[in-house]
Amino acid sequence: MNNMTYQEKRSVAYLTSTLIVVVIYCIYVFYFNSERSLNPETDFKFYGITIILILPAMIIVNILTHIVFNVMHTMLTKEKGDHFEDELDKAIELRSNRNAYNTFLIGFLLSMISQALEMPPYVMFNLLVASFLSGSMVWSISHLYFYRKGF
Amino acid sequence: MAKHRIDNNIRKLRFLRDEMTQQQLAEKVGVTRQTIMSIEKGKYSPTLELAFRIAMVFKVPLDEVFSYSDGESQ
């Protein structure tokens, strides 16, 4: 970690925070609610509530990650916290966003295919959540890749 | 399309300017140290504006800082 720059460490921090959300989601859906009936009507309600909860949870985890990471980075490296975005950051941001949107799009299409093949609704909802979280992870990994390898 | 490469002499020019650090150069041209590092290693080709700003810091013409070569000429 010592030879990593601020931007690379930040990408790792965001990737970790997304992984935490993935673990929380998996525990909530597949462990605490594994006994729920597979009735499509209750499935819609359950996943509706879960998705409504996961979006603010993701925002809160990201804000906390941002604060904790910046405090820890300033304390450990004694660097000034005046990090700003320049042209390289913007170029990397655009490419990472493109990769994240493409990942989400693939997941969205797969979830629609699952419905076309008459699979149960929980397959579609899990694919949608998985594509959203995968998109977020791809965003962080793309950042890390472009900062380390360049383009 | 031929493979091209943009080389630079930033490391050498920094050395000739009393071992100017990457951070000092970054502050002078208004970017982060990460960006100067990436340009020096050839990982990132800067915009024309940034290229000119770097050349102005070293007070040399642009082609003394950056040079372009394509795959066919090598």
Side-chain angles (χ1 to χ4, degrees):
Chain A
M1 283 293 265
N2 284 340
N3 62 350
M4 287 175 111
T5 61
Y6 169 82
Q7 288 87 346
E8 289 166 2
K9 287 178 197 163
R10 191 184 55 186
S11 306
V12 173
Y14 280 116
L15 183 61
T16 311
S17 78
T18 308
L19 284 172
I20 291 168
V21 175
V22 171
V23 170
I24 292 169
Y25 174 80
C26 290
I27 290 171
Y28 179 70
V29 172
F30 301 113
Y31 185 73
F32 285 117
N33 291 286
S34 60
E35 298 297 315
R36 73 179 192 284
S37 76
L38 292 174
N39 177 0
E41 281 178 26
T42 54
D43 247 15
F44 278 113
K45 188 182 175 189
F46 172 76
Y47 279 104
I49 294 167
T50 307
I51 289 172
I52 286 170
L53 288 175
I54 206 168
L55 293 174
M58 191 86 183
I59 293 166
I60 291 165
V61 168
N62 274 341
I63 292 169
L64 286 174
T65 305
H66 182 77
I67 295 167
V68 171
F69 171 72
N70 278 304
V71 169
M72 293 281 286
H73 187 264
T74 309
M75 276 168 59
L76 295 172
T77 62
K78 311 280 185 222
E79 279 179 22
K80 286 185 284 177
D82 55 348
H83 301 287
F84 59 95
E85 257 198 4
D86 62 11
E87 59 174 56
L88 175 64
D89 297 313
K90 282 174 189 155
I92 287 176
E93 183 79 21
L94 283 172
R95 284 169 189 239
S96 302
N97 284 346
R98 180 200 61 190
N99 293 349
Y101 289 139
N102 287 344
T103 307
F104 179 76
L105 187 67
I106 292 166
F108 181 79
L109 287 173
L110 286 175
S111 69
M112 293 302 113
I113 289 168
S114 75
Q115 288 309 287
L117 297 174
E118 295 181 354
M119 288 178 177
Y122 73 86
V123 176
M124 176 188 75
F125 285 116
N126 278 319
L127 277 171
L128 278 176
V129 174
S131 60
F132 173 71
L133 294 173
S134 309
S136 182
M137 281 194 278
V138 165
W139 185 86
S140 303
I141 293 166
S142 299
H143 266 79
L144 191 60
Y145 175 81
F146 289 129
Y147 276 121
R148 284 196 89 84
K149 299 282 176 190
F151 59 88
Chain B
M1 203 172 144
K3 203 173 178 184
H4 64 273
R5 183 177 164 78
I6 295 173
D7 294 310
N8 69 81
N9 294 317
I10 296 176
R11 177 73 194 91
K12 192 176 106 187
L13 289 163
R14 281 198 302 112
F15 178 77
L16 294 173
R17 287 280 183 285
D18 300 327
E19 270 292 329
M20 180 192 281
T21 64
Q22 289 178 334
Q23 184 63 44
Q24 285 169 332
L25 177 60
E27 282 167 13
K28 281 179 196 284
V29 296
V31 295
T32 59
R33 192 177 71 86
Q34 167 89 50
T35 303
I36 298 296
M37 226 165 66
S38 298
I39 296 169
E40 264 191 33
K41 288 180 182 171
K43 289 179 179 177
Y44 171 62
S45 302
T47 58
L48 202 52
E49 188 190 342
L50 179 56
F52 271 111
R53 284 209 301 264
I54 293 169
M56 279 167 73
V57 167
F58 294 122
K59 296 187 178 78
V60 292
L62 190 61
D63 61 358
E64 275 189 38
V65 186
F66 295 98
S67 57
Y68 177 85
S69 60
D70 59 38
E72 287 166 9
S73 63
Q74 284 179 342

